[in-house]
């Protein structure tokens, strides 16, 4: 009985090609899935719109958002957060600084922010506020509700205004972590000199790994 070795070799080669193709398809699918998971649950890059966070962040700054931190903890006072408010018509992300935490009472008087009757210790250089808005009288925050302000205090639409309101935790995408276009940890930007002299910015935990902040790139 004769065997067609050429035909057998062709079938073996065809089988090997199909196996390699299947492996290639699986690798692409895994890469796409990992990319989706990183964007969905880990990190995301966005662009800054407007000047409401100037001089800390300015128009077109590229921001890396850390979406992991707030899965294990809550925003802290002074954090710069990225959020997208439910029910708002615009499709872009908002970037503001957390000032008031759930359960606290916020009041703005004589251009300064008071929290539960105590003057807020600003961590960044900001102007005195000329328009107190809703916080001209004491404003108590509900559970899961945050009062946010732009660092450009007199050119920012934020929680002082009824059209914007407070931010609820479910609307927060993550923490504004790194400025990418001129590399710097955002927590280090525009800090008040007396704050820089008396404390060191805390390290940032990322998925169980602690990443220490570095000085702003020149």
């Amino acid at each position: 009985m004769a065997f067609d070795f050429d035909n057998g070799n062709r079938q073996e080669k065809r089988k090997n090609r199909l196996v390699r193709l299947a492996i290639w398809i699986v690798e692409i699918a895994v890469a796409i899935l990992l990319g989706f998971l990183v964007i969905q649950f880990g990190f995301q890059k966005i662009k800054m719109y407007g000047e409401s966070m100037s001089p800390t962040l300015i128009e077109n700054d590229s921001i890396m958002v850390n979406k992991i931190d707030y899965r294990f903890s809550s925003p802290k006072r002074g954090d710069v957060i990225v959020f997208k408010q439910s029910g708002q018509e615009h499709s872009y992300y908002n970037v503001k600084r957390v000032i008031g935490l759930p359960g606290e009472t916020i009041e703005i008087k004589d251009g300064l922010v008071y929290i539960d009757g105590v003057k807020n210790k600003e961590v960044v250089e900001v102007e005195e506020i000329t328009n107190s808005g809703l916080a001209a009288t004491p404003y108590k925050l509900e559970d899961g509700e945050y009062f946010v302000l732009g660092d450009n205090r007199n050119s920012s639409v934020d929680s002082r205004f009824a059209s914007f309101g407070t931010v609820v935790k479910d609307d927060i995408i993550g923490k504004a972590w790194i400025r990418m276009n001129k590399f710097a940890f955002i927590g280090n930007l525009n800090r008040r000199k007396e704050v820089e002299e008396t404390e060191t910015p805390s390290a940032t935990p990322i998925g169980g790994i602690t990443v220490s902040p570095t000085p702003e790139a020149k």
Side-chain angles (χ1 to χ4, degrees):
M1 181 178 181
F3 292 94
D4 188 346
F5 291 104
D6 288 340
N7 185 53
N9 288 337
R10 284 195 296 271
Q11 289 180 347
E12 186 66 25
K13 288 178 181 179
R14 188 179 300 113
K15 180 180 178 181
N16 289 338
R17 283 197 297 268
L18 290 173
V19 169
R20 287 196 298 269
L21 178 61
I23 293 173
W24 181 69
I25 291 172
V26 169
E27 287 175 344
I28 291 177
V30 169
I32 292 172
L33 177 61
L34 288 175
F36 170 78
L37 292 175
V38 167
I39 291 174
Q40 194 72 14
F41 301 107
F43 304 93
Q44 182 175 349
K45 191 168 78 170
I46 67 165
K47 184 175 287 188
M48 180 72 200
Y49 289 98
E51 299 294 339
S52 70
M53 284 296 293
S54 174
T56 308
L57 296 166
I58 61 174
E59 179 90 25
N60 292 324
D61 270 349
S62 181
I63 300 168
M64 181 63 70
V65 182
N66 172 3
K67 301 168 74 172
I68 298 176
D69 268 9
Y70 297 152
R71 294 186 183 278
F72 305 100
S73 63
S74 297
K76 302 175 184 62
R77 193 180 340 276
D79 284 358
V80 178
I81 61 171
V82 178
F83 56 97
K84 190 172 181 181
Q85 290 177 296
S86 302
Q88 296 290 333
E89 292 183 2
H90 61 71
S91 59
Y92 58 84
Y93 293 114
N94 285 296
V95 182
K96 305 289 181 187
R97 191 176 298 276
V98 174
I99 301 298
L101 304 177
E104 294 180 336
T105 298
I106 310 300
E107 185 177 9
I108 300 174
K109 56 183 179 180
D110 301 323
L112 303 175
V113 178
Y114 288 78
I115 300 170
D116 292 336
V118 178
K119 185 170 69 174
N120 182 45
K121 294 181 179 179
E122 300 282 4
V123 296
V124 292
E125 298 287 353
V126 293
E127 298 177 329
E128 289 191 356
I129 296 171
T130 58
N131 185 354
S132 301
L134 296 175
T137 56
Y139 185 98
K140 185 173 176 61
L141 297 168
E142 302 293 336
D143 289 344
E145 194 176 25
Y146 295 84
F147 191 94
V148 299
L149 294 175
D151 287 355
N152 191 358
R153 294 290 163 83
N154 295 311
S155 295
S156 171
V157 177
D158 44 42
S159 292
R160 291 171 289 170
F161 304 102
S163 60
F164 192 95
T166 55
V167 178
V168 296
K169 188 173 182 181
D170 287 347
D171 288 342
I172 298 174
I173 306 300
K175 183 176 182 178
W177 183 38
I178 296 174
R179 184 183 64 190
M180 303 294 292
N181 50 304
K182 186 180 178 185
F183 186 88
F185 285 92
I186 291 171
N188 289 348
L189 296 175
N190 190 34
R191 292 178 71 82
R192 295 178 63 194
K193 288 183 174 59
E194 50 265 48
V195 172
E196 291 179 336
E197 291 169 358
T198 58
E199 65 180 52
T200 301
S202 59
T204 303
I206 304 298
I209 300 173
T210 299
V211 181
S212 297
T214 57
E216 177 182 355
K218 299 295 185 182

